[in-house]
Amino acid sequence: MENEKHHIVPYRVYAIVLLVLVVLTFLSIAITDIELGSYTVVGALLLASIKSSLVLTYFMHLKFDQPYIRIMVGFVLAVFIAVVIVTFFDYSFR
Amino acid sequence: MSQVIQHDEHYDPEGSKIGMWLFIFSELLLFGGLFIIYSVYRYLNHDAFHMAAGELNLTVGALNTLILLVSSMTIAMSTTALQKKQKGTAILLLEITFILAIIFLINKYFEWGVKFDHGIFPGSEYMKEEMSQGEVLFFGLYFVMTGLHALHIVAGLVIMGFALARVHKGTVHAGRPTLLENAGLYWHLVDLIWIFLFPLFYLIT
Amino acid sequence: MQASSKTPNDVSYLEYQGKHKGLWKWILSTDHKRIGLLYLYSMMTLFLVGVTLGLAMKFELIAPGKTIMEAKDYNAVFTVHGVIMIFMIVIPGLPAVFGNFMLPIMIGAKDVAFPKLNLLSWWVYIAGAILVISSVLFGDGSPDTGWTFYAPYSFKTGSNMLPAIFGAFVLGFSSILTGLNFIVTIHRMRAPGMTWTKMPLFPWTLYGTAWIQLLATPVVGITLVLVALERIFGIGVFDPALGGDPILYQHLFWIYSHPAVYVMILPAMGAISEIIPTFSQKHIFGYKAIVASTLAIAFVGYFVWGHHMFTSGMSGTAQYTFSILTFLVAIPSAIKVFNWISTMYKGSINLQTPFYWAAGFIFVFMIGGLSGLVVGALATNVYLHDTAFVVAHFHFIVFGGVGFSFFGAIHYWFPKMFGRMYDATWANIGWLIFTTGFLALYSPMFYLGMQGMPRRYYDYLEEFHAANILSTLGSWVMTLGLIIILINLFRSAKSGPIAPKDPWKGKTLEWTVPSPPPLENFDQIPEYHEKDGPYEYQ
């Protein structure tokens, strides 16, 4: 088996990521107070996606892992999103 | 004679990590099914969902979000500490995560308790009489999704408990941190799901 | 040789005495080969239960009106038949039995990646099976919803649904754990030098299957939990009286259950892809095309679930989207058939029992697949939906496809698994009778469906009588064939002639180890070199 050396992530990186996550959380609460109509949800979901990609990349070490785990994660998310879209072929055209 | 043999213990950290990721994938799809249901019913009952979301306590929701985010950081740092051979720090960080998880559950308990007091729980007469169908669906999903999420917190606590014991004993150490790393991965999954649950239930008013 | 210097590989896995005695040394064993046999025995037992229920249904249908049971009993019988056959036999079937037994050997590993988890999967499987069976034995009435548990009836009916629903959920959990184990095994434990493109095809199909198990099963898991919660608390999610949408239940159910068809058929195709090159003594034709079509089937299979719902009232856009996607799946399936036939072309064909089963597989799979296009097309589907035609179609695929492949696989790997040969003459006779009975049993249902006979009724009009008699007779003939096959295998496992290492002159790795394999499969982990491949025949 090839040498898979372990990357030690410094504490500082985690602290910065947490800071960004907290800011994004407050941001998402703040934008719901602004009247944006249906864009409110889009905005909140967009921020949630950014937050989750931060968690995936740093907390879950995807950045430091071998690329195939990233590919798997991307594949799974793609399958899920495609399933949602195909489901809405029904509901949005009824 | 008995020929008891030990399978030479096969330690493959990369393999265990993939295993954990695969398990996480199936967990994601478990919640994925619920997210599909949520999105369909929200699409069909747009206004009722907005009305119903107003009933939820944004402060508690935001507080729980912060708790999970911080706990995610502490468990991630715990691995770093272990790899730097700072066993005491690793244990301390893990214990903080553990306590934060319990605080999350306590918050959830009171949050649900308030809903129950208002007559909002699955199958309640109050809901059937006073609420529109969309609102009933919203709260049905609210209880199922946050309930399932809370179950995952409990599972996370169990895994953390194991990791904690093994770090104490010294069988999880800088050379073999896999169990702790996997506990972390699982815990981040719990966080990840909450990152979506929070806006979908609390922020769509 | 001194006793103390005995290595574990001096004895076969069948004779090995571990820590435990008697039955315990089997049901607590983490050896993938023993777990494979555990699955084999438990599945055979459940299969015989399912067959008995099927025979009871066919006997009821020998004449119009009540023959041996009331309508309600008939509903219970087809439900339990479906739940047992789908969730306990055909979905886990080939992966759990032959996947467990052969996958590590075929890729040159000592065991799967997580042997304890593997044993746990079997225990979870047994727990699920017991839960489902308990729904029949206790409570007020067996489940009567059909294996699909359609809402809202599944939470309105007074029958004993909860154990069946939880049982199906638990069985799904077992399936997820097996899939997880196989993916990690294939990623991490292939023999040195065995690149992805040198891996035999059966492991490849297991890989595709495992991904479906992993990603689709949780969706039905949560759906079944919701049905149970609906029954207990009335959360409203699928209850139209509370605003829920029962059609959404169908969507979620089939998001799993259609890919589950590919969980069944892909390993079946994989086993056929092993048998055909061996008995043609020829390199498999279009190895890469078969691998690509396996992955294509697994992938496209996720997006065709709606073809089970053409008459449910979903939108027109969804209907033709699903119909088109369904037709796409036919392409990779046809590629595989083409490759199998081309492998046989100009090969030196060795007519043995496994080859007969493989040939039978191709034949019934073609009929099943082409009739699938008939029900996959929108216009004809509306006409044939919920008729006996559909029953015939999926029995040709699920029982014809998976069943023929399963019997082919067991006749192919039997010498390796038990270290003994079976009686080829009786095996061939069994195959012939079984196939005859199979065709007589299910072919008339195509005709009956086109004439308009609906499925899931214990009664029918007089005009359907003749074809139904033929079908019932077929069920008896098929059962006779099945009995011959099973008795032959059981007797041979005990007292057949000792099998050589490589009775069929196969080239994959399982034929390089003794029959039956020793505890750790290989004395030395094999290595693949540049020129080596899984199917290097002269």
Side-chain angles (χ1 to χ4, degrees), chain C residues 40-57:
Chain C
L40 179 66
Y41 295 138
S42 26
M43 264 174 210
M44 275 299 154
T45 313
L46 290 162
F47 179 66
L48 291 179
V49 177
V51 168
T52 312
L53 292 170
L55 280 174
M57 269 190 279

Side-chain angles (χ1 to χ4, degrees), chain B residues 3 12 26 29 37 41 133 137, chain C residues 16 188 215 226 236-237 245:
Chain B
Q3 327 149 332
D12 176 11
S26 79
L29 267 289
I37 298 176
Y41 287 149
Q133 291 189 332
L137 285 176
Chain C
Y16 170 72
R188 300 296 301 170
L215 297 186
L226 285 172
V237 171
D245 181 13

Side-chain angles (χ1 to χ4, degrees), chain B residues 47-95:
Chain B
D47 296 335
F49 267 46
H50 277 232
M51 290 259 297
E55 296 267 333
L56 296 182
N57 190 330
L58 179 59
T59 322
V60 179
L63 184 65
N64 267 348
T65 308
L66 292 182
I67 290 173
L68 278 190
L69 290 177
V70 174
S71 72
S72 252
M73 179 193 72
T74 51
I75 200 167
M77 283 180 167
S78 169
T79 313
T80 303
L82 194 73
Q83 285 168 331
K84 289 186 171 177
K85 303 209 167 72
Q86 301 161 336
K87 185 173 162 186
T89 322
I91 290 175
L92 179 70
L93 284 164
L94 205 49
E95 282 167 349

Side-chain angles (χ1 to χ4, degrees), chain C residues 100-213:
Chain C
N100 262 320
F101 199 105
M102 289 300 165
L103 169 68
I105 310 183
M106 289 179 97
I107 63 173
K110 288 185 173 177
D111 207 320
V112 292
F114 308 113
K116 284 181 194 152
L117 189 70
N118 203 14
L119 178 65
L120 178 72
S121 315
W122 180 77
W123 278 99
V124 172
Y125 171 83
I126 292 296
I130 290 174
L131 267 174
V132 172
I133 305 281
S134 75
S135 75
V136 180
L137 301 179
F138 307 106
D140 10 313
S142 312
D144 56 351
T145 56
W147 75 277
T148 48
F149 304 127
Y150 266 14
Y153 185 62
S154 53
F155 50 82
K156 297 281 186 207
T157 171
S159 60
N160 195 14
M161 291 307 297
L162 282 179
I165 290 174
F166 278 123
F169 175 80
V170 170
L171 288 167
F173 199 63
S174 159
S175 178
I176 291 175
L177 295 181
T178 305
L180 189 157
N181 222 334
F182 284 2
I183 296 180
V184 179
T185 308
I186 291 173
H187 267 275
R188 300 296 301 170
M189 297 174 77
R190 275 170 290 132
M194 183 186 275
T195 54
W196 286 95
T197 49
K198 285 182 180 173
M199 190 164 70
L201 289 163
F202 185 58
W204 257 115
T205 54
L206 289 174
Y207 186 72
T209 303
W211 272 104
I212 308 178
Q213 287 174 309

Side-chain angles (χ1 to χ4, degrees), chain C residues 151-388:
Chain C
Y153 185 62
S154 53
F155 50 82
K156 297 281 186 207
T157 171
S159 60
N160 195 14
M161 291 307 297
L162 282 179
I165 290 174
F166 278 123
F169 175 80
V170 170
L171 288 167
F173 199 63
S174 159
S175 178
I176 291 175
L177 295 181
T178 305
L180 189 157
N181 222 334
F182 284 2
I183 296 180
V184 179
T185 308
I186 291 173
H187 267 275
R188 300 296 301 170
M189 297 174 77
R190 275 170 290 132
M194 183 186 275
T195 54
W196 286 95
T197 49
K198 285 182 180 173
M199 190 164 70
L201 289 163
F202 185 58
W204 257 115
T205 54
L206 289 174
Y207 186 72
T209 303
W211 272 104
I212 308 178
Q213 287 174 309
L214 202 69
L215 297 186
T217 319
V219 177
V220 84
I222 193 65
T223 311
L224 293 176
V225 167
L226 285 172
V227 170
L229 290 175
E230 191 75 65
R231 248 183 115 81
I232 304 170
F233 298 114
I235 46 173
V237 171
F238 298 126
D239 189 351
L242 296 172
D245 181 13
I247 295 176
L248 186 58
Y249 171 84
Q250 297 188 18
H251 275 299
L252 290 160
F253 181 81
W254 289 112
I255 284 176
Y256 164 71
S257 296
H258 194 77
V261 175
Y262 299 105
V263 170
M264 308 167 194
I265 201 71
L266 279 176
M269 292 168 156
I272 297 300
S273 310
E274 297 295 336
I275 294 172
I276 286 180
T278 303
F279 290 91
S280 307
Q281 288 294 303
K282 200 164 151 252
H283 189 279
I284 185 101
F285 182 87
Y287 170 90
K288 284 188 178 153
I290 293 188
V291 170
S293 61
T294 299
L295 298 180
I297 290 175
F299 182 71
V300 181
Y302 274 106
F303 305 107
V304 300
W305 74 82
H307 66 221
H308 296 269
M309 303 162 55
F310 283 153
T311 59
S312 69
M314 66 176 177
S315 77
T317 317
Q319 285 180 335
Y320 41 77
T321 312
F322 281 124
S323 191
I324 292 168
L325 287 170
T326 303
F327 273 72
L328 285 183
V329 186
I331 299 170
S333 310
I335 289 177
K336 279 179 188 285
V337 173
F338 176 77
N339 281 321
W340 293 324
I341 305 285
S342 310
T343 305
M344 292 180 210
Y345 179 65
K346 285 191 173 169
S348 31
I349 288 179
N350 180 10
L351 278 178
Q352 300 276 3
T353 319
F355 186 82
Y356 286 125
W357 283 105
F361 169 89
I362 296 179
F363 180 68
V364 292
F365 179 72
M366 292 283 285
I367 296 177
L370 292 173
S371 64
L373 292 180
V374 176
V375 278
L378 261 183
T380 40
N381 179 283
V382 173
Y383 177 70
L384 293 169
H385 199 93
D386 265 348
T387 65

